[in-house]
Amino acid sequence: MSGHSKWATTKHKKALVDAKRGKMFAKLIKNVEVAARTGGGDPAGNPTLYDAIQKAKKSSVPNDNIERAVRRGSGAEAGGAQYENITYEGYGPGGVAVLVQCLTDNRNRAASDVRVAFTRNGGSMADAGSVSYLFSRKGVVIVPKSASLGEDDVLMAVLDAGAEEVNDIGESYEVVSEATDLVPVRTALQQAGIDYESAETPFLPSVEIPIDEETARKVFRLIDVLEESDEVQNVYANYSVSDEIMEKLG
């Protein structure tokens, strides 16, 4: 199991019980609003919006909040902000490469939040292009395990839809594809009657750096602080952590 998978899984579990649920809701709603503004307010014709809505619903965001975000984004209701996507690059403890995706209506505030997080947690900002080449955008669908669903079942469902691999990541299966094949893979699962938790296009590392327990604590602390910012939507890092260390860190 690679570092990104473990962290994504850990983060997902944590998010569902986190006291900062309101902050998580705000980020999910922002995603819905921006997806509606970019591709229109009809989920049937806007796969990005469809997936943003599904993720929000599975994270228990109230339907009214989701619907209002769609209306704001599509222009059917006033009050939508003009968000822009900005990606910052940097290095964390142990030389771990970090990509930070922001969705903000204030570029200066976003840059300040990210810079402070790096400098106060053993990291440093890097020039554009310095670490992004170490990552590739992929399609990732997380499928929860069940007594009646095996890895072979998932693999057979997505094999002809463009899936590259199916990984067992503990309590779920991770289906990886090219980013452009995310919708066909997700659709294939739906047609096979297989439920999924999330369908996204994250940046996955092409090269991972093994880190020890002390460095892992520092890296996770940096990621936590970055994700606490309202401006930050996603954080990706190219570390690899053993099962033993992950168990110790909980």
Side-chain angles (χ1 to χ4, degrees):
M1 287 176 10
S2 58
H4 79 267
S5 298
K6 291 181 182 179
W7 178 244
T9 305
T10 303
K11 184 175 67 173
H12 179 70
K13 291 179 192 172
K14 177 187 172 190
L16 296 179
V17 297
D18 205 317
K20 296 173 287 188
R21 182 183 291 261
K23 182 165 288 191
M24 180 184 70
F25 279 10
K27 293 186 179 187
L28 293 170
I29 290 167
K30 191 188 292 187
N31 270 340
V32 170
E33 185 174 330
V34 170
R37 177 173 295 114
T38 304
D42 179 10
N46 184 347
T48 303
L49 176 61
Y50 179 91
D51 288 328
I53 290 174
Q54 290 299 108
K55 183 176 181 180
K57 286 184 175 180
K58 288 178 182 293
S59 298
S60 302
V61 176
N63 286 332
D64 286 350
N65 296 37
I66 296 172
E67 290 168 7
R68 282 198 298 272
V70 172
R71 292 197 297 270
R72 286 196 304 272
S74 62
E77 180 177 307
Q82 293 298 318
Y83 296 111
E84 62 176 321
N85 286 290
I86 309 171
T87 300
Y88 296 101
E89 302 179 30
Y91 293 98
V96 170
V98 182
L99 280 184
V100 185
Q101 283 187 318
C102 293
L103 191 56
T104 181
D105 58 357
N106 188 320
R107 179 182 286 263
N108 291 335
R109 186 175 63 220
S112 175
D113 279 10
V114 172
R115 185 176 296 107
V116 167
F118 271 106
T119 56
R120 292 184 179 176
N121 292 278
S124 61
M125 297 283 284
D127 294 334
S130 298
V131 302
S132 57
Y133 74 94
L134 295 170
F135 297 82
S136 299
R137 187 179 281 281
K138 292 287 188 177
V140 176
V141 183
I142 301 299
V143 177
K145 286 185 178 179
S146 70
S148 60
L149 184 68
E151 187 172 343
D152 287 344
D153 299 321
V154 177
L155 183 61
M156 290 302 296
V158 300
L159 200 56
D160 295 328
E164 296 178 350
E165 57 182 324
V166 176
N167 300 314
D168 185 332
I169 58 171
E171 296 180 4
S172 307
Y173 298 114
E174 172 194 62
V175 184
V176 181
S177 69
E178 289 297 325
T180 51
D181 289 326
L182 176 67
V183 174
V185 168
R186 183 248 289 157
T187 302
L189 288 168
Q190 291 173 315
Q191 291 175 343
I194 298 174
D195 190 28
Y196 65 93
E197 287 184 7
S198 62
E200 301 178 81
T201 54
F203 284 96
L204 303 188
S206 52
V207 177
E208 295 181 338
I209 298 176
I211 55 176
D212 58 23
E213 182 178 346
E214 182 181 355
T215 304
R217 289 183 188 278
K218 294 176 180 178
V219 170
F220 289 178
R221 173 60 183 163
L222 170 61
I223 292 173
D224 276 341
V225 172
L226 284 166
E227 290 185 333
E228 284 172 5
S229 169
D230 293 335
E231 313 303 320
V232 174
Q233 289 293 105
N234 297 294
V235 181
Y236 306 108
N238 73 334
Y239 63 85
S240 177
V241 181
S242 70
D243 291 342
E244 291 75 20
I245 291 176
M246 284 301 294
E247 288 175 10
K248 288 181 182 178
L249 298 180

